[in-house]
């Protein structure tokens, strides 16, 4: 199981090709796929990208500098560290369950 923050067919194909080259099995999963029940749908600098960064690197987040035309997904100004902690814990648990 390869949990990745980049989405799209090209990325999934690259992960599968790398697995084949290493004679390994791999299932590419976008990070948001582990969190759809929390409302995650994949974003770029949006709510979930921001929330996932806030718990560990709040110094990299300046919500006063948000450029909404560059955001894909829900408004990152609604992100909280609490949502990030919850999402990271849930994604970690689900990844653990998927890989045994």
């Amino acid at each position: 199981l390869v949990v990745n923050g980049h989405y799209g067919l090209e990325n999934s194909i690259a992960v599968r090709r790398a697995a084949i080259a290493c004679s390994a099995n791999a299932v590419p999963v976008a990070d948001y796929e582990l969190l759809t029940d929390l409302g995650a749908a994949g974003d770029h600098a949006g709510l979930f990208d921001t929330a996932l960064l806030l718990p560990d690197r709040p110094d990299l987040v300046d919500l006063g500098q948000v450029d909404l035309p560059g955001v894909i997904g829900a408004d990152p100004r609604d992100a909280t560290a609490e949502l990030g902690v919850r999402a990271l814990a849930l994604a970690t648990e689900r990844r653990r369950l998927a890989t045994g």
Side-chain angles (χ1 to χ4, degrees):
L1 181 68
V2 178
V3 179
N4 197 337
H6 274 163
Y7 321 127
L9 179 59
E10 296 84 9
N11 192 15
S12 293
I13 291 170
V15 169
R16 289 182 191 272
R17 285 185 177 153
I20 290 168
C22 297
S23 299
N25 292 320
V27 178
V29 176
D31 56 0
Y32 76 89
E33 293 178 292
L34 297 172
L35 304 170
T36 56
D37 53 329
L38 293 182
D43 63 20
H44 178 267
L47 174 70
F48 277 88
D49 269 356
T50 304
L52 292 170
L53 189 59
L54 279 171
D56 292 323
R57 293 301 306 266
D59 56 304
L60 298 178
V61 179
D62 182 355
L63 296 175
Q65 297 294 316
V66 171
D67 176 19
L68 287 179
V71 171
I72 298 171
D75 192 331
R77 295 174 293 192
D78 295 330
T80 64
E82 292 79 18
L83 174 60
V85 167
R86 183 175 171 214
L88 287 168
L90 186 58
T92 300
E93 177 63 14
R94 288 178 173 167
R95 182 203 51 82
R96 186 187 65 75
L97 291 172
T99 59

